[in-house]
Amino acid sequence: MAAELAPLIERLEKVTSRLEAVSVSVSPAPNTSLTEVEEVGASVLAFDELINGPLAKFLSISNDLGDVIKQQCNLVQVGFQAERDFLLKASRSKQPSQDVLSKLVEPVSQQMTAIGDIREANRRSQFFNHLSTISESVSALGWLVVSPAPGPYVKEMLDAGQFYGNRVLKEFKDKDTKHVEWINSWKTTLMDLQAYIKQYHTTGVTWNPKGGDANAAAKRPAPPVPGVAPPPVVGGAPPPPPPPAVLPPAPAVQTKDSEGNDRSALLGELNKGTDITLGLKKISDNVKTHKNPNLRLGAAPYKAPSGSPKSVKAQAPKPEAPKKPPVCELQGKKWIVEHQEGNRNIVLENTNIKQTVYVFKCVNSVINVKGKVNSITLDNCKKTALVFENVVSSAEFINCQSVQAQVTGKVPTVSIDKTDGFMIYMNKDSLDASFITAKSSEMNVLVPKDNGDFAEYAVPEQFRTSWNGSGLVTVCSETG
């Protein structure tokens, strides 16, 4: 008999273990009432699926790509958690004023700023393109204050980071597919965010018209996201709130009965006819302006006090940020040229095709790159000229103003992004180069002629898009 009961007892123990595991996974957090758990609406639960699905996969891959990427992506996780808390408060509250809304969205804004700071602090990192991909597109979390089209705004931010994402794909597609998977998982996360917004917040954040005050909802603890550990709490418990201030007595409220009595009294006075003036006081002649001209002079004009006026202390101008020392050195396989001002004799020699050149924040300078390198990037430069021979992949100009370039050898691709004022002198070997432009203006390409002169051609900046019945067709707009 015992042998027959043994398998049954074993099965009952397994079922009991599974029920205990399910009970733990769905139980509310400590100090969280059942009412708070029940208040989580469908829109918040759908956002939890986004966090536990594509975002969790993206964070898992990030942990394997280096400490600086992991550090930045941890802030992305905190930003999504802050956005989840905002959406929970919105599901509990009526739409607040603009001042209250700014305070509610401030935790999300702080994380977006911190993500950008990590990128700026690691410009020399080999993962700079990774950091730029996130910092340029994480502004999509700002859809909370966008109306009436928050979904397209997320798509626009995704496209803004795609420029750097394509560089990651190009660099690692044949080296390490983990980086390719990382880029694709981030893109999936933002695309799923756009789909979520389209379903639950099509024209803006949906508030609860029957909810309470947003300030009161902000003080209530938000239930944790199922399956995700909440961020650590820094410090101890918050101090107790101050005692309530003594409010002034409320003004007397005029009732309908008092309003009716006042109206009856007014009608009674008007019905007196000419007798209504019997209660007026008689004015004596000494206060009548037409009999006393001195009363019409009015007040005397203002006279400035004698003596020299006191000098007003001018506000001291803000001190300028200290200039960083110029840099021109080879770091591993990357040439770094930074913070050069007025230096027109910068020459990079002894280069090879495995090296890259990165030029950052140079002003009124000239950089001459000898030999053949893998790529060249000018970032945040003003009135700077670049002369180079051969480039294997591309020459890129980002966030520049009034820059010039001259190629004496061959370059397959020239990329121009967020640049105003660009001119490049081509040679006969590089006429098959491709130009990729985005958010730039005043771009000109000079092509050599047989007599040694150059013919100047402007890169189009204006386009016309129309619907052809099955899709959008974009062509260059005719100018001049």
Side-chain angles (χ1 to χ4, degrees):
M1 187 68 176
E4 296 178 355
L5 292 177
L8 180 60
I9 295 174
E10 183 179 358
R11 292 178 60 187
L12 288 175
E13 290 178 349
K14 291 182 179 179
V15 172
T16 303
S17 300
R18 293 179 61 185
L19 290 175
E20 290 176 351
V22 172
S23 175
V24 171
S25 64
V26 300
S27 61
N31 302 326
T32 302
S33 65
L34 181 60
T35 304
E36 290 176 344
V37 176
E38 292 176 350
E39 286 182 358
V40 179
S43 63
V44 181
L45 293 176
F47 196 79
D48 290 342
E49 294 179 1
L50 173 66
I51 294 178
N52 295 326
L55 179 64
K57 179 181 178 181
F58 167 75
L59 296 174
S60 176
I61 301 174
S62 303
N63 294 334
D64 302 332
L65 299 186
D67 293 339
V68 65
I69 296 179
K70 180 180 179 181
Q71 179 186 4
Q72 189 188 54
C73 293
N74 285 341
L75 295 179
V76 173
Q77 179 184 12
V78 178
F80 270 87
Q81 176 63 47
E83 187 152 293
R84 193 256 187 193
D85 296 342
F86 179 95
L87 294 174
L88 179 62
K89 294 169 186 175
S91 67
R92 294 172 172 174
S93 313
K94 298 178 182 178
Q95 185 168 359
S97 63
Q98 190 63 35
D99 293 339
V100 176
L101 180 62
S102 300
K103 293 180 180 179
L104 292 176
V105 81
E106 186 175 356
V108 180
S109 302
Q110 291 175 350
Q111 299 306 316
M112 291 191 295
T113 302
I115 290 170
D117 292 341
I118 290 182
R119 172 206 179 185
E120 295 301 322
N122 294 274
R123 282 190 166 272
R124 299 184 183 182
S125 171
Q126 60 175 330
F127 300 123
F128 176 73
N129 290 329
H130 298 66
L131 304 178
S132 299
T133 301
I134 302 301
S135 63
E136 289 288 335
S137 56
V138 77
S139 299
L141 296 181
W143 70 269
L144 298 174
V145 294
V146 176
S147 179
Y153 171 78
V154 174
K155 179 62 167 60
E156 183 179 349
M157 294 301 101
L158 174 61
D159 294 340
Q162 195 65 30
F163 174 80
Y164 293 97
N166 290 337
R167 297 171 70 175
V168 175
L169 295 176
K170 183 178 180 180
E171 181 179 357
F172 290 94
K173 65 180 179 180
D174 297 327
K175 296 181 181 179
D176 189 351
T177 57
K178 200 76 172 179
H179 297 263
V180 177
E181 186 179 358
W182 181 79
I183 287 290
N184 292 333
S185 63
W186 175 243
K187 183 178 180 180
T188 301
T189 301
L190 294 186
M191 291 177 65
D192 286 3
L193 175 61
Q194 184 185 7
Y196 164 80
I197 295 170
K198 184 178 180 181
Q199 181 175 357
Y200 293 99
H201 308 279
T202 307
T203 59
V205 174
T206 302
W207 298 86
N208 186 353
K210 298 181 181 180
D213 181 66
N215 278 330
K219 299 176 183 178
R220 300 176 60 181
V225 181
V228 176
V233 179
V234 181
V246 179
L247 299 179
V253 180
Q254 191 173 18
T255 63
K256 293 184 178 179
D257 294 339
S258 61
E259 291 179 357
N261 294 335
D262 292 344
R263 189 180 297 108
S264 300
L266 176 61
L267 293 175
E269 293 291 334
L270 294 176
N271 290 332
K272 291 181 180 181
T274 57
D275 295 338
I276 195 173
T277 60
L278 295 178
L280 299 178
K281 294 182 179 180
K282 184 176 180 62
I283 300 176
S284 59
D285 293 341
N286 60 345
V287 296
K288 295 180 180 179
T289 57
H290 66 283
K291 292 187 177 182
N292 294 277
N294 293 331
L295 297 178
R296 299 196 296 267
L297 294 179
Y302 171 79
K303 293 182 179 180
S306 59
S308 59
K310 296 182 180 180
S311 59
V312 180
K313 186 177 181 180
Q315 186 177 3
K318 295 182 179 179
E320 295 183 358
K323 294 184 178 180
K324 295 185 178 181
V327 177
C328 182
E329 61 185 10
L330 177 62
Q331 300 179 358
K333 297 180 180 181
K334 188 174 185 179
W335 286 94
I336 300 296
V337 182
E338 294 183 346
H339 307 291
Q340 301 282 345
E341 291 191 14
N343 189 351
R344 298 181 174 272
N345 300 308
I346 304 173
V347 181
L348 306 183
E349 297 179 321
N350 300 323
T351 60
N352 59 66
I353 60 175
K354 294 184 179 180
Q355 296 175 349
T356 61
V357 179
Y358 181 72
V359 183
F360 177 68
K361 278 195 175 181
C362 293
V363 181
N364 292 325
S365 300
V366 178
I367 299 97
N368 194 339
V369 181
K370 302 290 187 179
K372 179 183 290 187
V373 295
N374 185 274
S375 65
I376 301 176
T377 301
L378 261 68
D379 187 2
N380 234 321
C381 296
K382 295 181 180 179
K383 298 181 180 179
T384 297
L386 170 67
V387 181
F388 62 94
E389 295 180 3
N390 294 284
V391 173
V392 177
S393 59
S394 64
E396 301 176 352
F397 302 84
I398 308 170
N399 293 319
C400 294
Q401 296 180 9
S402 302
V403 294
Q404 297 183 10
Q406 180 179 2
V407 51
T408 59
K410 191 173 182 62
V411 58
T413 305
V414 178
S415 178
I416 311 167
D417 182 54
K418 300 178 184 178
T419 295
D420 298 323
F422 171 81
M423 180 181 295
I424 184 169
Y425 292 83
M426 309 294 289
N427 70 340
K428 294 183 178 180
D429 295 334
S430 59
L431 294 181
D432 58 345
S434 300
F435 290 85
I436 302 174
T437 62
K439 298 181 181 181
S440 300
S441 63
E442 301 178 20
M443 300 170 287
N444 296 278
V445 179
L446 287 85
V447 178
K449 298 192 295 186
D450 294 336
N451 59 2
D453 293 335
F454 287 86
E456 185 173 352
Y457 298 92
V459 178
E461 304 174 20
Q462 190 175 15
F463 304 91
R464 182 176 67 254
T465 302
S466 58
W467 176 260
N468 65 353
S470 59
L472 295 176
V473 178
T474 302
V475 297
C476 296
S477 179
E478 296 292 339
T479 58

